[in-house]
Amino acid sequence: MSSTDVPRVAVVMLAYGPEPYLDDAVDAVLASTGVDVDLVLVDNGAVGDAVGRLRARDDDRVRVLVPGRNLGFTGGVNLGVAQTTAPVVALVNSDAVVQPAALAELVRALDDPAVGLVSGLVRLADEPALVNTVGNPVHLLGLSWAGHMGEPTGDHQAPAEVASVTGATMAVRRSVWDALGGFPEEYFAYLEDLELSWRAWQRGLRVRYVPTAVSDHHYEFSRSPLKMYLVDRNRLIFVLTCYAPRTLALLALPLLAFDVALLAVALAQGWGRQWWRARVWVLGHVGWLRARRRAVQSARLVPDSALVDLWTDRFDPTQLALPPGGRAIEKVLQAYWRLVRRAV
């Protein structure tokens, strides 16, 4: 096979904070087999000398961008992708180590024109026999989490369609990325992979899990006030802009009830101020939300009625601890969803 037969893929990676695994992540990308790789690293505010060591490398496959401020995951990725020309773009976290064939497997899955986004088997780096995520579910209330985390990887060896890719290791044709407009930068971080995936489904493109594309992720789950604010705010943005009018009407009561319950949880866990801040942001950006909603809804080709099977009505108790009485409330929500889902 000549070098021209090897598919080109541009990998975008972000750096922020101390970045203890950056060297390993970069080395793994550059060691990828079956693809011709270029790596764009966006320095969103890394500390220490990890990025400096990377810039000192004599490797024309590596390019470092320094925007001078933290653009968030969304802005950083958008900037990085804009500097690439390869027909396929992959996102790899700076704390994820891809296996040699992972990128080639993702690119191969994109040979199917019906597939828009793909992500792989992301294992827990400290326990590689266990799943970090095999694609992320979406709850009908707009929540999302790492799919099947902690389960044996051997139970997830079959390709499957998923509601959302994971931004930790994913790939997309550049033409699809451009058609979707990339990430909405207002998200800054969290749930942007869900939003992009959902809009792909709305355009009639499938989102696939590729089990042969393996990476090991040094995953750490945190509940910092900033993260809770962004996750909560972005959930509201996602629901308000991506759900069809009928869907919003049918889910209005559960969404309002969940918001009240979430406030109680936020107060108990110490992030009540962030709950309020998220809603202040929404109220202060009504004009943008309306414009964004018009753009998303006018571009869709597939109604919500064709996407109902992508939603789940079950919370994952290993990642979303329910308050006392939460399981009973969940059962009420499930009964309500069974009643109204045919009307979506």
Side-chain angles (χ1 to χ4, degrees), residues 26-212:
V26 169
D27 288 342
V29 166
L30 297 179
S32 295
T33 59
V35 289
D36 184 5
V37 173
D38 291 315
L39 174 65
V40 176
L41 181 88
V42 180
D43 184 353
N44 257 352
V47 298
D49 59 354
V51 174
R53 290 196 303 271
L54 184 60
R55 298 182 74 175
R57 293 190 184 200
D58 184 19
D59 194 326
D60 58 9
R61 296 174 296 170
V62 179
R63 183 178 180 186
V64 177
L65 304 179
V66 185
R69 61 187 178 90
N70 183 4
L71 301 178
F73 189 80
T74 56
V77 169
N78 286 352
L79 174 65
V81 173
Q83 303 300 312
T84 68
T85 59
V88 173
V89 174
L91 308 184
V92 178
N93 272 16
S94 57
D95 57 357
V97 177
V98 295
Q99 297 297 300
L103 294 178
E105 291 296 310
L106 292 177
V107 172
R108 184 175 297 111
L110 291 173
D111 286 342
D112 183 349
V115 175
L117 303 174
V118 292
S119 62
L121 169 56
V122 183
R123 308 184 301 196
L124 293 170
D126 294 337
E127 298 180 88
L130 300 180
V131 166
N132 177 192
T133 178
V134 292
N136 298 341
V138 56
H139 194 275
L140 57 95
L141 299 179
L143 298 160
S144 186
W145 52 84
H148 298 282
M149 189 170 74
E151 296 180 9
T153 57
D155 293 347
H156 298 279
Q157 294 301 309
E161 293 179 354
V162 292
S164 171
V165 294
T166 170
T169 309
M170 60 164 282
V172 56
R173 289 188 299 279
R174 178 60 185 272
S175 59
V176 171
W177 175 269
D178 290 343
L180 293 173
F183 290 137
E185 296 192 9
E186 288 77 7
Y187 273 55
F188 194 78
Y190 304 112
L191 300 190
E192 69 289 316
D193 45 8
L194 166 62
E195 198 268 358
L196 188 72
S197 298
W198 199 258
R199 288 191 292 116
W201 279 110
Q202 289 178 331
R203 300 284 188 95
L205 295 167
R206 299 186 178 279
V207 179
R208 296 283 288 172
Y209 160 63
V210 183
T212 51

Side-chain angles (χ1 to χ4, degrees), residues 195-246:
E195 198 268 358
L196 188 72
S197 298
W198 199 258
R199 288 191 292 116
W201 279 110
Q202 289 178 331
R203 300 284 188 95
L205 295 167
R206 299 186 178 279
V207 179
R208 296 283 288 172
Y209 160 63
V210 183
T212 51
V214 180
S215 61
D216 295 315
H217 189 200
H218 295 275
Y219 177 79
E220 291 185 10
F221 181 81
S222 68
R223 292 186 182 273
S224 70
L226 177 60
K227 178 176 180 177
M228 301 310 293
Y229 160 70
L230 289 171
V231 169
D232 186 32
R233 186 201 65 169
N234 292 351
R235 177 187 68 87
L236 295 172
I237 298 174
F238 170 66
V239 168
L240 291 172
T241 59
C242 289
Y243 285 19
R246 182 187 293 272

